[in-house]
């Protein structure tokens, strides 16, 4: 975790700025503007906007029900927005696309890594078969053998894991397979929805270091969906805080965590257990919001 800690320390010395400000002169790989999504009378996503530069890392934080996962699913294309725009690499993704080739091209732009890799991997097929299937679907004219080896090496598994079924792997190994499968299509944006929440702390550190290495080498844009402020501190440049579907605060991660401006952000920070932590005071503060 030392490498990530160093990254966090260097981030704290950077100038304070919101996501739009800190990336003002950088090419945007992802732009989200005015997203809205309602279910019945509930506004799950309410006028959400943010910008992710190429090679950047943006965290979206909030409690359960804050709208962060719904926002992520709209970005990926698993949900449709009622209003607003999602633009990846200058191309708007809002609306349906026609034709198999167009659908595959859109899928390659943004990939998602879920919280539980066991649920997202087919338990009946081996690691190699899962990766080979993805490669043949998206790149049918390429020989998948070399790329398969590259992907396994890239996520620190090696070819010894190629013939394993998901049930034969640890949680951390399964998450590495899920990351390899997402990277196989060479996405511009990788959305990570609580991607380390189900892992042991030591394994979390391994996966986060792996993701940091991949971002540095390939300049993939990361969108981290998480409730864990420790993860946000270590691996994001900027952060968006959501509550009840809306953004209540945004800015550089270093500034937001050091000097939160909104009472809800302060509540999230105060809710992290530490010496002298008073859960009754936290509960009272929550009721007053």
């Amino acid at each position: 975790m030392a490498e990530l800690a160093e990254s966090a320390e260097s981030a704290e010395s950077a100038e304070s700025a919101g996501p739009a400000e800190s990336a003002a002169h950088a090419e945007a790989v992802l732009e989200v503007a005015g997203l809205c999504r309602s279910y019945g009378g509930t506004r799950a996503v309410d006028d959400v906007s943010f910008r992710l530069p190429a090679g950047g890392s943006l965290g979206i934080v909030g409690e359960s029900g804050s709208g962060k996962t719904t926002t992520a699913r709209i970005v990926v294309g698993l949900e449709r927005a009622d209003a607003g725009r999602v633009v990846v690499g200058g191309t708007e993704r809002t609306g349906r696309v026609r034709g198999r080739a167009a659908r595959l091209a859109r899928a390659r732009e943004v990939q998602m890594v879920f919280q539980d890799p066991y649920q997202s991997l087919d338990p009946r097929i081996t690691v190699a078969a899962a990766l080979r299937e993805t490669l043949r679907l998206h790149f049918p004219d390429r020989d998948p053998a070399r790329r398969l080896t590259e992907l396994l090496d890239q996520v620190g598994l090696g070819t010894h894991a190629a013939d394993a079924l998901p049930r034969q792997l640890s949680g951390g190994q399964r998450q590495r397979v899920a990351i390899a499968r997402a990277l196989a299509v060479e996405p511009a944006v990788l959305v990570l929805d609580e991607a380390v929440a189900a892992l042991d702390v030591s394994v979390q550190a391994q996966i986060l270091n792996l993701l940091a290495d991949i971002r540095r080498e390939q300049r993939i844009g990361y969108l981290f969906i998480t409730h864990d402020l420790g993860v946000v501190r270590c691996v994001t440049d900027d952060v968006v805080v959501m509550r009840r579907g809306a953004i209540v605060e945004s800015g550089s991660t270093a500034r937001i965590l050091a000097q939160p401006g909104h009472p809800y952000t302060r509540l999230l920070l105060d809710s992290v257990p530490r010496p002298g932590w008073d859960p009754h005071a936290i509960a009272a503060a929550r009721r007053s919001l």
Side-chain angles (χ1 to χ4, degrees):
M1 211 65 171
E3 180 182 340
L4 290 174
E6 291 173 2
S7 298
E9 290 173 2
S10 62
E12 290 176 0
S13 65
E15 293 182 358
S16 299
E21 296 169 350
S22 64
H25 302 293
E27 177 187 356
V29 68
L30 170 66
E31 292 184 90
V32 171
L35 281 193
C36 296
R37 183 71 167 100
S38 295
Y39 300 96
T42 302
R43 183 67 69 93
V45 179
D46 188 2
D47 194 22
V48 168
S49 301
F50 55 81
R51 189 174 186 270
L52 175 65
S57 182
L58 173 67
I60 302 182
V61 301
E63 299 171 299
S64 297
S66 63
K68 59 186 187 297
T69 292
T70 301
T71 298
R73 289 175 64 86
I74 293 173
V75 169
V76 175
L78 297 176
E79 298 267 357
R80 294 190 67 187
D82 298 326
R85 300 168 64 243
V86 176
V87 179
V88 178
T91 302
E92 186 168 343
R93 288 170 61 90
T94 309
R96 296 184 183 276
V97 293
R98 296 184 178 182
R100 184 172 183 269
R103 290 194 299 271
L104 288 173
R106 173 172 286 192
R108 284 193 294 273
E109 294 175 342
V110 183
Q111 285 287 297
M112 191 168 191
V113 178
F114 297 91
Q115 177 176 345
D116 185 353
Y118 194 76
Q119 295 296 321
S120 64
L121 298 174
D122 189 332
R124 301 166 298 178
I125 63 175
T126 66
V127 170
L131 295 178
R132 195 177 294 114
E133 180 181 50
T134 300
L135 290 168
R136 285 177 174 167
L137 177 65
H138 288 276
F139 307 111
D141 297 329
R142 299 185 192 176
D143 179 3
R146 179 177 178 181
R147 181 60 175 150
L148 192 151
T149 301
E150 289 176 349
L151 288 166
L152 290 175
D153 286 341
Q154 187 175 20
V155 299
L157 285 176
T159 54
H160 65 276
D163 295 327
L165 292 169
R167 66 172 180 271
Q168 297 171 312
L169 302 175
S170 68
Q173 289 173 321
R174 289 196 293 265
Q175 197 63 295
R176 289 172 186 265
V177 174
I179 293 170
R181 185 178 60 181
L183 294 175
V185 304
E186 303 170 8
V189 177
L190 190 59
V191 179
L192 300 116
D193 187 9
E194 301 284 8
V196 297
L199 304 176
D200 293 339
V201 174
S202 61
V203 181
Q204 285 186 12
Q206 295 171 17
I207 297 299
L208 292 176
N209 276 313
L210 168 67
L211 290 169
D213 290 342
I214 292 170
R215 179 163 77 109
R216 183 169 55 250
E217 294 167 2
Q218 300 192 11
R219 289 191 56 77
I220 297 175
Y222 285 166
L223 190 63
F224 273 91
I225 313 301
T226 182
H227 66 280
D228 190 333
L229 296 177
V231 170
V232 169
R233 186 184 302 276
C234 286
V235 297
T236 67
D237 306 319
D238 299 292
V239 64
V240 166
V241 182
M242 291 187 65
R243 181 175 187 243
R244 296 177 181 173
I247 294 176
V248 298
E249 188 167 11
S250 65
S252 73
T253 301
R255 180 182 67 79
I256 294 294
L257 296 186
Q259 297 177 322
H262 194 277
Y264 179 69
T265 309
R266 291 196 292 272
L267 175 64
L268 291 179
L269 290 167
D270 291 342
S271 298
V272 179
R274 60 187 179 277
W277 181 66
D278 185 351
H280 298 293
I282 299 301
R286 186 181 302 279
R287 288 193 296 269
S288 68
L289 282 178

PDB file of all heavy atoms in Angstrom, residues 2-29:
ATOM      1  N   ALA A   2       2.206   1.071   0.151  1.00  0.00           N
ATOM      2  CA  ALA A   2       3.088   2.223   0.251  1.00  0.00           C
ATOM      3  C   ALA A   2       3.014   3.091  -0.995  1.00  0.00           C
ATOM      4  O   ALA A   2       2.998   4.317  -0.929  1.00  0.00           O
ATOM      5  CB  ALA A   2       4.521   1.755   0.483  1.00  0.00           C
ATOM      6  N   GLU A   3       2.977   2.423  -2.157  1.00  0.00           N
ATOM      7  CA  GLU A   3       2.928   3.170  -3.420  1.00  0.00           C
ATOM      8  C   GLU A   3       1.687   4.027  -3.498  1.00  0.00           C
ATOM      9  O   GLU A   3       1.717   5.180  -3.910  1.00  0.00           O
ATOM     10  CB  GLU A   3       2.967   2.188  -4.586  1.00  0.00           C
ATOM     11  CG  GLU A   3       2.910   2.869  -5.943  1.00  0.00           C
ATOM     12  CD  GLU A   3       2.908   1.855  -7.055  1.00  0.00           C
ATOM     13  OE1 GLU A   3       3.315   0.703  -6.817  1.00  0.00           O
ATOM     14  OE2 GLU A   3       2.498   2.222  -8.161  1.00  0.00           O
ATOM     15  N   LEU A   4       0.547   3.467  -3.061  1.00  0.00           N
ATOM     16  CA  LEU A   4      -0.694   4.222  -3.083  1.00  0.00           C
ATOM     17  C   LEU A   4      -0.653   5.354  -2.078  1.00  0.00           C
ATOM     18  O   LEU A   4      -1.185   6.433  -2.316  1.00  0.00           O
ATOM     19  CB  LEU A   4      -1.864   3.282  -2.778  1.00  0.00           C
ATOM     20  CG  LEU A   4      -2.161   2.276  -3.885  1.00  0.00           C
ATOM     21  CD1 LEU A   4      -3.224   1.302  -3.430  1.00  0.00           C
ATOM     22  CD2 LEU A   4      -2.632   2.982  -5.131  1.00  0.00           C
ATOM     23  N   ALA A   5      -0.025   5.109  -0.916  1.00  0.00           N
ATOM     24  CA  ALA A   5       0.077   6.151   0.085  1.00  0.00           C
ATOM     25  C   ALA A   5       0.883   7.326  -0.443  1.00  0.00           C
ATOM     26  O   ALA A   5       0.549   8.494  -0.220  1.00  0.00           O
ATOM     27  CB  ALA A   5       0.728   5.600   1.352  1.00  0.00           C
ATOM     28  N   GLU A   6       1.973   7.010  -1.184  1.00  0.00           N
ATOM     29  CA  GLU A   6       2.771   8.071  -1.780  1.00  0.00           C
ATOM     30  C   GLU A   6       1.956   8.869  -2.780  1.00  0.00           C
ATOM     31  O   GLU A   6       2.068  10.091  -2.858  1.00  0.00           O
ATOM     32  CB  GLU A   6       3.998   7.470  -2.462  1.00  0.00           C
ATOM     33  CG  GLU A   6       5.000   6.890  -1.474  1.00  0.00           C
ATOM     34  CD  GLU A   6       6.124   6.164  -2.177  1.00  0.00           C
ATOM     35  OE1 GLU A   6       6.125   6.154  -3.422  1.00  0.00           O
ATOM     36  OE2 GLU A   6       6.990   5.604  -1.490  1.00  0.00           O
ATOM     37  N   SER A   7       1.117   8.159  -3.558  1.00  0.00           N
ATOM     38  CA  SER A   7       0.263   8.846  -4.535  1.00  0.00           C
ATOM     39  C   SER A   7      -0.704   9.778  -3.837  1.00  0.00           C
ATOM     40  O   SER A   7      -0.972  10.884  -4.286  1.00  0.00           O
ATOM     41  CB  SER A   7      -0.507   7.825  -5.377  1.00  0.00           C
ATOM     42  OG  SER A   7       0.393   7.016  -6.096  1.00  0.00           O
ATOM     43  N   ALA A   8      -1.265   9.309  -2.692  1.00  0.00           N
ATOM     44  CA  ALA A   8      -2.210  10.117  -1.945  1.00  0.00           C
ATOM     45  C   ALA A   8      -1.525  11.361  -1.387  1.00  0.00           C
ATOM     46  O   ALA A   8      -2.082  12.461  -1.407  1.00  0.00           O
ATOM     47  CB  ALA A   8      -2.824   9.297  -0.809  1.00  0.00           C
ATOM     48  N   GLU A   9      -0.279  11.203  -0.882  1.00  0.00           N
ATOM     49  CA  GLU A   9       0.438  12.339  -0.328  1.00  0.00           C
ATOM     50  C   GLU A   9       0.736  13.375  -1.402  1.00  0.00           C
ATOM     51  O   GLU A   9       0.606  14.569  -1.181  1.00  0.00           O
ATOM     52  CB  GLU A   9       1.740  11.860   0.314  1.00  0.00           C
ATOM     53  CG  GLU A   9       1.504  11.067   1.590  1.00  0.00           C
ATOM     54  CD  GLU A   9       2.790  10.459   2.131  1.00  0.00           C
ATOM     55  OE1 GLU A   9       3.842  10.707   1.527  1.00  0.00           O
ATOM     56  OE2 GLU A   9       2.715   9.757   3.139  1.00  0.00           O
ATOM     57  N   SER A  10       1.119  12.905  -2.593  1.00  0.00           N
ATOM     58  CA  SER A  10       1.407  13.844  -3.669  1.00  0.00           C
ATOM     59  C   SER A  10       0.144  14.540  -4.131  1.00  0.00           C
ATOM     60  O   SER A  10       0.176  15.710  -4.507  1.00  0.00           O
ATOM     61  CB  SER A  10       2.064  13.123  -4.852  1.00  0.00           C
ATOM     62  OG  SER A  10       1.202  12.162  -5.380  1.00  0.00           O
ATOM     63  N   ALA A  11      -0.987  13.809  -4.077  1.00  0.00           N
ATOM     64  CA  ALA A  11      -2.261  14.429  -4.474  1.00  0.00           C
ATOM     65  C   ALA A  11      -2.630  15.540  -3.519  1.00  0.00           C
ATOM     66  O   ALA A  11      -3.197  16.563  -3.909  1.00  0.00           O
ATOM     67  CB  ALA A  11      -3.362  13.375  -4.523  1.00  0.00           C
ATOM     68  N   GLU A  12      -2.321  15.374  -2.210  1.00  0.00           N
ATOM     69  CA  GLU A  12      -2.682  16.370  -1.222  1.00  0.00           C
ATOM     70  C   GLU A  12      -1.924  17.673  -1.422  1.00  0.00           C
ATOM     71  O   GLU A  12      -2.338  18.727  -0.958  1.00  0.00           O
ATOM     72  CB  GLU A  12      -2.429  15.813   0.182  1.00  0.00           C
ATOM     73  CG  GLU A  12      -3.412  14.711   0.553  1.00  0.00           C
ATOM     74  CD  GLU A  12      -3.096  14.096   1.905  1.00  0.00           C
ATOM     75  OE1 GLU A  12      -2.121  14.545   2.534  1.00  0.00           O
ATOM     76  OE2 GLU A  12      -3.822  13.192   2.311  1.00  0.00           O
ATOM     77  N   SER A  13      -0.795  17.600  -2.102  1.00  0.00           N
ATOM     78  CA  SER A  13      -0.019  18.806  -2.349  1.00  0.00           C
ATOM     79  C   SER A  13      -0.451  19.531  -3.615  1.00  0.00           C
ATOM     80  O   SER A  13       0.039  20.604  -3.918  1.00  0.00           O
ATOM     81  CB  SER A  13       1.475  18.465  -2.452  1.00  0.00           C
ATOM     82  OG  SER A  13       1.696  17.645  -3.582  1.00  0.00           O
ATOM     83  N   ALA A  14      -1.373  18.902  -4.375  1.00  0.00           N
ATOM     84  CA  ALA A  14      -1.845  19.523  -5.616  1.00  0.00           C
ATOM     85  C   ALA A  14      -2.796  20.654  -5.313  1.00  0.00           C
ATOM     86  O   ALA A  14      -3.364  20.761  -4.239  1.00  0.00           O
ATOM     87  CB  ALA A  14      -2.551  18.477  -6.484  1.00  0.00           C
ATOM     88  N   GLU A  15      -3.010  21.504  -6.307  1.00  0.00           N
ATOM     89  CA  GLU A  15      -3.931  22.620  -6.137  1.00  0.00           C
ATOM     90  C   GLU A  15      -5.362  22.112  -6.065  1.00  0.00           C
ATOM     91  O   GLU A  15      -5.740  21.148  -6.705  1.00  0.00           O
ATOM     92  CB  GLU A  15      -3.801  23.591  -7.312  1.00  0.00           C
ATOM     93  CG  GLU A  15      -2.460  24.293  -7.363  1.00  0.00           C
ATOM     94  CD  GLU A  15      -2.388  25.270  -8.514  1.00  0.00           C
ATOM     95  OE1 GLU A  15      -3.374  25.353  -9.259  1.00  0.00           O
ATOM     96  OE2 GLU A  15      -1.365  25.926  -8.646  1.00  0.00           O
ATOM     97  N   SER A  16      -6.195  22.796  -5.248  1.00  0.00           N
ATOM     98  CA  SER A  16      -7.590  22.394  -5.094  1.00  0.00           C
ATOM     99  C   SER A  16      -8.358  22.802  -6.333  1.00  0.00           C
ATOM    100  O   SER A  16      -8.208  23.901  -6.854  1.00  0.00           O
ATOM    101  CB  SER A  16      -8.200  23.078  -3.867  1.00  0.00           C
ATOM    102  OG  SER A  16      -7.505  22.706  -2.703  1.00  0.00           O
ATOM    103  N   ALA A  17      -9.249  21.878  -6.776  1.00  0.00           N
ATOM    104  CA  ALA A  17     -10.081  22.162  -7.943  1.00  0.00           C
ATOM    105  C   ALA A  17     -11.141  21.103  -8.050  1.00  0.00           C
ATOM    106  O   ALA A  17     -10.969  19.990  -7.585  1.00  0.00           O
ATOM    107  CB  ALA A  17      -9.250  22.186  -9.213  1.00  0.00           C
ATOM    108  N   GLY A  18     -12.280  21.458  -8.671  1.00  0.00           N
ATOM    109  CA  GLY A  18     -13.312  20.473  -8.937  1.00  0.00           C
ATOM    110  C   GLY A  18     -12.919  19.641 -10.125  1.00  0.00           C
ATOM    111  O   GLY A  18     -11.956  19.951 -10.831  1.00  0.00           O
ATOM    112  N   PRO A  19     -13.687  18.547 -10.397  1.00  0.00           N
ATOM    113  CA  PRO A  19     -13.365  17.705 -11.539  1.00  0.00           C
ATOM    114  C   PRO A  19     -13.289  18.478 -12.839  1.00  0.00           C
ATOM    115  O   PRO A  19     -12.387  18.260 -13.640  1.00  0.00           O
ATOM    116  CB  PRO A  19     -14.513  16.682 -11.542  1.00  0.00           C
ATOM    117  CG  PRO A  19     -14.970  16.628 -10.141  1.00  0.00           C
ATOM    118  CD  PRO A  19     -14.782  18.021  -9.601  1.00  0.00           C
ATOM    119  N   ALA A  20     -14.217  19.389 -13.049  1.00  0.00           N
ATOM    120  CA  ALA A  20     -14.207  20.147 -14.292  1.00  0.00           C
ATOM    121  C   ALA A  20     -13.019  21.099 -14.341  1.00  0.00           C
ATOM    122  O   ALA A  20     -12.416  21.325 -15.374  1.00  0.00           O
ATOM    123  CB  ALA A  20     -15.512  20.919 -14.458  1.00  0.00           C
ATOM    124  N   GLU A  21     -12.661  21.673 -13.153  1.00  0.00           N
ATOM    125  CA  GLU A  21     -11.580  22.635 -13.104  1.00  0.00           C
ATOM    126  C   GLU A  21     -10.225  21.960 -13.261  1.00  0.00           C
ATOM    127  O   GLU A  21      -9.368  22.403 -14.010  1.00  0.00           O
ATOM    128  CB  GLU A  21     -11.639  23.398 -11.785  1.00  0.00           C
ATOM    129  CG  GLU A  21     -12.909  24.235 -11.643  1.00  0.00           C
ATOM    130  CD  GLU A  21     -13.071  24.750 -10.234  1.00  0.00           C
ATOM    131  OE1 GLU A  21     -12.308  24.291  -9.362  1.00  0.00           O
ATOM    132  OE2 GLU A  21     -13.939  25.588 -10.000  1.00  0.00           O
ATOM    133  N   SER A  22     -10.009  20.858 -12.505  1.00  0.00           N
ATOM    134  CA  SER A  22      -8.708  20.207 -12.529  1.00  0.00           C
ATOM    135  C   SER A  22      -8.418  19.585 -13.891  1.00  0.00           C
ATOM    136  O   SER A  22      -7.272  19.367 -14.253  1.00  0.00           O
ATOM    137  CB  SER A  22      -8.630  19.127 -11.445  1.00  0.00           C
ATOM    138  OG  SER A  22      -9.563  18.111 -11.702  1.00  0.00           O
ATOM    139  N   ALA A  23      -9.484  19.262 -14.650  1.00  0.00           N
ATOM    140  CA  ALA A  23      -9.304  18.647 -15.970  1.00  0.00           C
ATOM    141  C   ALA A  23      -9.604  19.614 -17.105  1.00  0.00           C
ATOM    142  O   ALA A  23      -9.792  19.222 -18.240  1.00  0.00           O
ATOM    143  CB  ALA A  23     -10.222  17.429 -16.083  1.00  0.00           C
ATOM    144  N   ALA A  24      -9.621  20.917 -16.776  1.00  0.00           N
ATOM    145  CA  ALA A  24     -10.082  21.905 -17.753  1.00  0.00           C
ATOM    146  C   ALA A  24      -9.249  21.891 -19.028  1.00  0.00           C
ATOM    147  O   ALA A  24      -9.767  22.136 -20.115  1.00  0.00           O
ATOM    148  CB  ALA A  24     -10.046  23.305 -17.127  1.00  0.00           C
ATOM    149  N   HIS A  25      -7.962  21.606 -18.872  1.00  0.00           N
ATOM    150  CA  HIS A  25      -7.090  21.643 -20.043  1.00  0.00           C
ATOM    151  C   HIS A  25      -6.707  20.246 -20.512  1.00  0.00           C
ATOM    152  O   HIS A  25      -5.788  20.095 -21.319  1.00  0.00           O
ATOM    153  CB  HIS A  25      -5.847  22.470 -19.718  1.00  0.00           C
ATOM    154  CG  HIS A  25      -6.147  23.874 -19.293  1.00  0.00           C
ATOM    155  ND1 HIS A  25      -6.679  24.815 -20.142  1.00  0.00           N
ATOM    156  CD2 HIS A  25      -6.037  24.477 -18.084  1.00  0.00           C
ATOM    157  CE1 HIS A  25      -6.862  25.956 -19.490  1.00  0.00           C
ATOM    158  NE2 HIS A  25      -6.479  25.777 -18.249  1.00  0.00           N
ATOM    159  N   ALA A  26      -7.391  19.223 -19.998  1.00  0.00           N
ATOM    160  CA  ALA A  26      -7.107  17.848 -20.387  1.00  0.00           C
ATOM    161  C   ALA A  26      -8.229  17.331 -21.280  1.00  0.00           C
ATOM    162  O   ALA A  26      -9.381  17.739 -21.155  1.00  0.00           O
ATOM    163  CB  ALA A  26      -6.969  16.966 -19.152  1.00  0.00           C
ATOM    164  N   GLU A  27      -7.884  16.440 -22.168  1.00  0.00           N
ATOM    165  CA  GLU A  27      -8.876  15.831 -23.041  1.00  0.00           C
ATOM    166  C   GLU A  27      -9.823  14.972 -22.221  1.00  0.00           C
ATOM    167  O   GLU A  27      -9.399  14.133 -21.432  1.00  0.00           O
ATOM    168  CB  GLU A  27      -8.183  14.980 -24.089  1.00  0.00           C
ATOM    169  CG  GLU A  27      -9.132  14.246 -25.017  1.00  0.00           C
ATOM    170  CD  GLU A  27      -8.401  13.289 -25.931  1.00  0.00           C
ATOM    171  OE1 GLU A  27      -7.164  13.256 -25.882  1.00  0.00           O
ATOM    172  OE2 GLU A  27      -9.079  12.566 -26.683  1.00  0.00           O
ATOM    173  N   ALA A  28     -11.110  15.161 -22.393  1.00  0.00           N
ATOM    174  CA  ALA A  28     -12.093  14.387 -21.642  1.00  0.00           C
ATOM    175  C   ALA A  28     -12.371  13.073 -22.355  1.00  0.00           C
ATOM    176  O   ALA A  28     -12.698  13.063 -23.541  1.00  0.00           O
ATOM    177  CB  ALA A  28     -13.382  15.173 -21.485  1.00  0.00           C
ATOM    178  N   VAL A  29     -12.220  11.968 -21.646  1.00  0.00           N
ATOM    179  CA  VAL A  29     -12.598  10.681 -22.207  1.00  0.00           C
ATOM    180  C   VAL A  29     -14.064  10.396 -21.925  1.00  0.00           C
ATOM    181  O   VAL A  29     -14.728   9.666 -22.665  1.00  0.00           O
ATOM    182  CB  VAL A  29     -11.692   9.559 -21.646  1.00  0.00           C
ATOM    183  CG1 VAL A  29     -11.950   9.317 -20.163  1.00  0.00           C
ATOM    184  CG2 VAL A  29     -11.877   8.272 -22.434  1.00  0.00           C
TER     185      VAL A  29
END
